[in-house]
Amino acid sequence: MNTLVMYPSHQFSEEDKKMYYILTDDFPYGSKLFPAGSICYLNEQTFLHHISMGSTRFWRFVMVEDGSVVTMDVESLQPLNEKMADFLLAVSNVHERLNCFLDCQLLDAAMKARVGQQVFAELNHQTFPGVIRYIGKLHKSPWPSGLCPVYFGVELQGDGDGKGHCDGTYNGTKCFKCKPGGGIFLPFNKLQFLPMPEDTKLKEVEKLDGIQEMPVKVGEAVGFYLDDAFTRGIAMDVYKEGSTWMVKVCLEDEAIMDGFRIIPMDSVVKEELLLPAFEIEADSGPQDRLKCKRSESETEKETKPPSLDVNSMVQIDLEKGNSVTGTIRWVGCLPNTREKVAGVELDEEKGVSDGELQGIRYFSCPPKRGLFVKLESCQPDMRFQTNSHTPWESLELSGPDTPAVFSNLPPLRDEMAVKVLSGRMRGIQGHCNSCYMDAALFSLFSCTSVLDSMLYKPSFPPELQVQKILRDKIVNPLRQNGFVAARSVMDLRHHLTEKGQCSSFATSEKDPEEFLNLIMHRILGIEPLLKLQSGRLKEQECYYYQIFMDKQEDLVVPNVQQLVEHSFLSSDLKLVEIPSCFIIQMPRFGKEYKMFSKIIPSLELDITDLLQDSPRECFVCGDAATRECSACFKDKMFADTGLKQYCDPCCRQAHSHYQRKAHRITELHIPEEFHRAFCQGNRRVPREKLELFAVLCIETSHYVAFVKYGPEKENWMFFDSMADRHGDENGYNIPTVTLCPEVAKYLEMPVAALAMEQPRDMEGVAKRLFCDAYMYMYQSKRMALYK
């Protein structure tokens, strides 16, 4: 039996370089359990010895937090550098710590964070804006490892002002300066990091000791006294000279010296912003005249209609007041014409061609969708233009297009997801049958990073353009602003149309699996998510799994676990490896026929018994399994869930019954390392479980999504890209994200009671989750590290 050994701290010299690791699975050792997320280390010499000797996978590690020495399987550990370990140690809850490590983007953002950076801080289950004023350690290392947690000192702002715990002082040490109750110290998992401004001078200004907000910034109108006369000008530069901050001012009266003065900041008074409030006299100097010209050009730019080109979305007024909408596919001059002509692919079958005119093909589109008109007859599609009377502030901020966001942002979780995503005009705006793509993208990227490899995989033109649109115009804006305008998705659809050789991707309704297969396989070429083995047949690779099974009379209201096990068993399938993302399509055919009226979402999918050549547990006694019997899976004498595998004694006893003597028993392969560890006393079979993160649903040809944004059963949000509409044909769709905690009530309900529940009586949107499920998405954050 394993025993816990305590070694004196001097056994591992502090001068030795240490190799740090984090435990990714719970690990029982003797009478103690080391939970996943625990951090351990060994010195570099020991590490090199193991490598050079080619020793077994079981090495001895020192646990950071209690100094105990434990023999562990290196397969259950992930390496850390010292900086990562310091940041992770500040997260006291080991399970949250592991999630922070697996969500590598958040940890990476924390390690790159700078003093002066804007953040959102989580405090008492609320989120407040703030500014980082300190990054570092708050005390000496209490452990022999030399590691010490790194915390962030944040000055709270806005609604959080006065809700902090200190004035920047910790245990008598002044870490930064702010007013009492304005500061707080937090680990990085309680922060959402916002991108730093690009202006390096502003970065330096934000680091100024004792000044939390600069009184004057470049470009602002200022005033000061010069020879007892009040003089006005524009701040052209702000910089530090020794210990004094100076402002370089462009003077209003150019007759004074060379038109510039260097003034101490303490002597400068800020007036109003330079443009547009700083009024200009008509007969002022050349500098003022230059500003007048700039103002005129800006006015002209504002009144000038936007230029139209290929891929512009337009509307065209026809006779009798009718109008049509579409996308410009070609611009040029036709034979015998001097005026520019636009070839437009219409959203509806109101055209006269398929992109061909007088025997010459100018572009390709479905029949009766093509139309050739004068370019001047085209107007920007008003559904995608900013309307000053639009009641939705988010739409006004987005304008006709979602601004690209080039900072790589982590997914939204917990309170931050609620703050950024929930509400009207949130999520991804739908347009022209795009719901299949809107729901899939929102599910895959809003609250998880499991497929972020799609965004950063090295690509080459023209695939690179698709990746840039997906990353910079859809995913990053969604994670930063909570809203993506329809034009960004339409841009992606046009590029998919070109690369997928399918002219209807930008206009017609598709299925999510068709979109996922196209973008993952044919365009971005990412590694298949699933590797499956059926008997002795060749290994198969795919991106999602379609459940096929005969009607099971005993499954009235099945859960996803049962459906997957039945499907794998009936097809004699095994998973060759643990998938990082497991996308499962439910047993339904078309949009009408559903095999089951309700399906219960399994929040965890246990795939231990679905893995090929993986350690198994005897379902009778819990010992290591050596045999598997598929016939016992359907035997009424046993439990109605779970595949059936046995150790040798239990297998003989179970099959001694005359009704089971004809069962075909399969021998299981036990990995040698596991067999050795099992014989040494570690009698525990590790369970491999995937976590549910999203569900796509369909009802009457319209796709919506449910997304799990936190660990609690109530942490569900519902997304509909076309939940509401503003206006008629010339209006636009209003995407909406709503919280739906009522889902938890039905997840906890007994199966018999849920079966009797009438869909029309179910609260909120829960009916759609349980009755309209089309595709379930599961993830393994641990395996995502390798993909």
Side-chain angles (χ1 to χ4, degrees):
M1 181 176 179
N2 293 334
T3 55
L4 191 65
V5 182
M6 301 295 292
Y7 284 80
S9 61
H10 60 74
Q11 178 161 336
F12 291 87
S13 170
E14 293 192 19
E15 282 73 24
D16 290 334
K17 183 178 178 181
K18 298 176 178 62
M19 315 289 290
Y20 298 98
Y21 295 84
I22 186 170
L23 189 60
T24 56
D25 288 306
D26 292 344
F27 188 81
Y29 195 82
S31 60
K32 198 165 185 177
L33 174 68
F34 294 98
S38 300
I39 294 178
C40 60
Y41 68 93
L42 75 168
N43 62 40
E44 188 177 42
Q45 293 301 319
T46 305
F47 172 80
L48 294 175
H49 174 74
H50 283 303
I51 296 299
S52 62
M53 297 296 292
S55 53
T56 67
R57 290 169 19 192
F58 293 89
W59 300 356
R60 297 170 76 183
F61 296 87
V62 182
M63 307 306 295
V64 165
E65 289 165 302
D66 66 1
S68 56
V69 177
V70 181
T71 300
M72 286 191 291
D73 185 350
V74 294
E75 294 285 328
S76 63
L77 299 168
Q78 285 291 322
L80 303 171
N81 60 43
E82 186 172 350
K83 185 177 181 181
M84 294 169 66
D86 282 334
F87 276 82
L88 288 168
L89 268 179
V91 183
S92 56
N93 185 296
V94 290
H95 297 296
E96 289 185 26
R97 182 190 297 165
L98 179 61
N99 280 332
C100 291
F101 169 71
L102 296 174
D103 186 2
C104 54
Q105 288 189 358
L106 179 61
L107 178 58
D108 185 57
M111 294 193 295
K112 292 179 180 178
R114 304 291 175 81
V115 171
Q117 186 169 346
Q118 297 285 331
V119 294
F120 283 112
E122 182 184 329
L123 180 63
N124 298 327
H125 303 292
Q126 291 181 285
T127 305
F128 303 108
V131 178
I132 298 174
R133 298 299 183 196
Y134 174 82
I135 304 174
K137 302 170 183 180
L138 300 179
H139 45 67
K140 292 183 179 180
S141 174
W143 301 298
S145 67
L147 294 179
C148 194
V150 171
Y151 291 89
F152 289 81
V154 177
E155 180 185 3
L156 298 175
Q157 297 179 338
D159 295 339
D161 189 13
K163 295 184 179 179
H165 300 154
C166 65
D167 62 353
T169 302
Y170 184 85
N171 281 351
T173 302
K174 194 72 170 179
C175 299
F176 64 94
K177 185 186 296 184
C178 70
K179 62 184 181 182
I184 191 169
F185 292 93
L186 294 170
F188 75 92
N189 66 314
K190 299 297 182 183
L191 301 176
Q192 172 80 14
F193 299 92
L194 302 180
M196 285 287 283
E198 294 298 325
D199 191 333
T200 56
K201 288 187 178 180
L202 286 180
K203 290 184 182 180
E204 293 300 321
V205 167
E206 289 172 331
K207 294 180 182 179
L208 175 63
D209 292 337
I211 299 181
Q212 271 61 53
E213 192 169 329
M214 287 299 293
V216 175
K217 296 183 177 67
V218 174
E220 292 182 338
V222 297
F224 60 95
Y225 281 94
L226 180 66
D227 298 330
D228 296 328
F230 186 76
T231 305
R232 305 202 315 174
I234 306 301
M236 305 301 293
D237 196 5
V238 178
Y239 62 93
K240 199 169 187 179
E241 193 173 274
S243 60
T244 305
W245 281 87
M246 311 298 290
V247 182
K248 183 179 181 180
V249 182
C250 176
L251 303 178
E252 184 181 55
D253 186 356
E254 63 178 352
I256 301 177
M257 296 180 62
D258 59 354
F260 293 95
R261 268 294 174 90
I262 308 299
I263 310 294
M265 186 173 287
D266 292 343
S267 303
V268 172
V269 178
K270 182 172 70 172
E271 290 190 343
E272 299 173 317
L273 294 176
L274 174 59
L275 292 173
F278 195 73
E279 299 296 334
I280 310 297
E281 296 292 337
D283 293 328
S284 298
Q287 294 177 353
D288 291 334
R289 287 197 291 273
L290 177 64
K291 284 179 271 187
C292 288
K293 290 180 182 178
R294 186 189 309 138
S295 179
E296 290 169 4
S297 67
E298 289 177 354
T299 303
E300 181 183 352
K301 184 178 179 181
E302 289 176 1
T303 58
K304 183 179 178 181
S307 61
L308 299 176
D309 207 340
V310 174
N311 288 334
S312 295
M313 289 188 285
V314 296
Q315 67 181 41
I316 304 162
D317 293 325
L318 304 177
E319 70 283 353
K320 300 179 183 179
N322 293 327
S323 64
V324 292
T325 58
T327 305
I328 295 178
R329 296 298 184 205
W330 175 84
V331 175
C333 294
L334 295 173
N336 303 320
T337 64
R338 294 184 179 180
E339 297 173 303
K340 277 196 172 183
V341 173
V344 181
E345 180 182 349
L346 301 179
D347 295 338
E348 302 175 80
E349 292 184 355
K350 295 184 178 180
V352 294
S353 76
D354 62 353
E356 183 177 306
L357 182 66
Q358 296 178 350
I360 300 175
R361 178 163 298 283
Y362 294 92
F363 65 96
S364 295
C365 71
K368 297 183 181 181
R369 289 274 182 92
L371 188 66
F372 291 88
V373 296
K374 293 179 181 179
L375 184 61
E376 63 184 28
S377 300
C378 299
Q379 300 295 327
D381 192 335
M382 297 306 296
R383 291 173 296 180
F384 302 98
Q385 304 304 308
T386 304
N387 184 348
S388 58
H389 302 290
T390 298
W392 313 116
E393 183 182 1
S394 299
L395 185 63
E396 292 177 2
L397 291 174
S398 298
D401 198 0
T402 300
V405 176
F406 299 105
S407 300
N408 297 326
L409 301 168
L412 299 162
R413 296 291 295 171
D414 304 317
E415 292 299 322
M416 186 57 63
V418 175
K419 184 179 182 69
V420 175
L421 290 173
S422 64
R424 288 169 66 82
M425 220 26 119
R426 288 288 185 267
I428 301 174
Q429 186 180 33
H431 171 64
C432 193
N433 300 316
S434 67
C435 61
Y436 71 96
M437 191 178 294
D438 305 329
L441 291 172
F442 187 86
S443 299
L444 290 175
F445 295 109
S446 60
C447 297
T448 179
S449 61
V450 68
L451 286 181
D452 277 14
S453 58
M454 292 172 60
L455 310 177
Y456 310 112
K457 171 188 174 292
S459 299
F460 302 95
E463 292 80 7
L464 182 61
Q465 186 59 30
V466 172
Q467 189 181 52
K468 283 183 176 180
I469 295 171
L470 180 63
R471 180 184 64 235
D472 301 333
K473 300 201 70 177
I474 296 178
V475 176
N476 285 334
L478 178 64
R479 292 174 177 179
Q480 177 170 290
N481 307 316
F483 175 76
V484 177
R487 178 163 294 186
S488 295
V489 177
M490 186 59 75
D491 195 10
L492 178 65
R493 293 171 76 184
H494 288 320
H495 279 79
L496 293 179
T497 296
E498 296 169 10
K499 309 302 178 291
Q501 295 155 358
C502 174
S503 60
S504 59
F505 242 102
T507 55
S508 302
E509 180 182 338
K510 300 290 182 183
D511 291 322
E513 64 270 20
E514 187 176 354
F515 160 61
L516 294 176
N517 192 64
L518 173 64
I519 194 169
M520 290 182 186
H521 174 48
R522 294 173 60 186
I523 296 181
L524 295 181
I526 68 171
E527 183 181 343
L529 302 179
L530 298 175
K531 294 184 179 181
L532 301 170
Q533 183 79 50
S534 178
R536 297 182 179 179
L537 298 179
K538 185 179 178 181
E539 182 180 301
Q540 305 170 50
E541 296 182 336
C542 54
Y543 293 88
Y544 65 92
Y545 177 70
Q546 166 76 64
I547 288 182
F548 291 105
M549 56 185 293
D550 297 328
K551 180 68 175 179
Q552 304 290 325
E553 299 298 336
D554 54 334
L555 290 180
V556 180
V557 183
N559 58 38
V560 179
Q561 181 81 42
Q562 291 172 313
L563 294 179
V564 173
E565 289 179 348
H566 274 84
S567 181
F568 268 60
L569 185 66
S570 61
S571 302
D572 190 23
L573 284 177
K574 292 293 183 186
L575 288 166
V576 176
E577 61 183 26
I578 303 169
S580 60
C581 183
F582 194 1
I583 300 175
I584 309 168
Q585 192 173 337
M586 291 297 101
R588 56 183 299 163
F589 304 96
K591 300 173 179 62
E592 301 298 330
Y593 175 71
K594 295 187 294 184
M595 183 173 284
F596 301 98
S597 59
K598 295 189 188 80
I599 297 175
I600 303 173
S602 299
L603 298 184
E604 286 187 331
L605 185 66
D606 192 331
I607 62 169
T608 310
D609 300 333
L610 304 178
L611 289 167
Q612 187 179 41
D613 296 338
S614 175
R616 309 274 194 88
E617 182 180 277
C618 174
F619 100 101
V620 178
C621 69
D623 212 337
T626 56
R627 313 279 176 180
E628 181 181 53
C629 181
S630 58
C632 285
F633 180 68
K634 300 178 182 179
D635 196 306
K636 300 293 184 182
M637 293 297 294
F638 298 119
D640 57 351
T641 59
L643 299 174
K644 304 300 182 289
Q645 53 275 324
Y646 307 87
C647 62
D648 288 339
C650 291
C651 185
R652 286 193 296 270
Q653 183 175 357
H655 290 87
S656 62
H657 193 283
Y658 71 93
Q659 290 184 344
R660 289 188 284 275
K661 285 187 176 180
H663 287 186
R664 294 179 59 187
I665 301 170
T666 305
E667 186 174 353
L668 297 176
H669 172 70
I670 301 179
E672 182 62 31
E673 296 87 349
F674 175 77
H675 181 73
R676 190 184 307 119
F678 197 86
C679 293
Q680 292 175 355
N682 185 14
R683 309 179 73 83
R684 170 180 172 267
V685 176
R687 307 300 299 181
E688 293 294 346
K689 296 182 180 181
L690 306 181
E691 167 192 328
L692 178 64
F693 69 87
V695 183
L696 263 64
C697 300
I698 183 172
E699 182 185 30
T700 60
S701 301
H702 180 57
Y703 288 95
V704 295
F706 288 83
V707 170
K708 195 84 164 53
Y709 67 87
E712 305 301 329
K713 286 188 177 181
E714 295 82 7
N715 294 159
W716 286 90
M717 56 176 54
F718 172 72
F719 165 63
D720 187 345
S721 65
M722 303 177 183
D724 201 354
R725 188 168 179 82
H726 178 76
D728 46 24
E729 284 189 6
N730 295 325
Y732 52 84
N733 291 311
I734 300 175
T736 304
V737 179
T738 55
L739 303 184
C740 45
E742 66 272 13
V743 167
K745 169 184 174 181
Y746 299 98
L747 288 173
E748 296 170 347
M749 189 177 287
V751 175
L754 184 60
M756 298 298 294
E757 188 79 18
Q758 292 297 320
R760 64 176 177 272
D761 297 330
M762 298 179 78
E763 296 177 15
V765 293
K767 172 257 176 186
R768 304 185 75 169
L769 175 63
F770 286 85
C771 301
D772 301 329
Y774 182 84
M775 185 176 280
Y776 285 85
M777 298 181 176
Y778 288 86
Q779 65 179 343
S780 169
K781 291 183 178 179
R782 181 165 65 91
M783 293 307 299
L785 295 170
Y786 303 101
K787 300 294 185 181

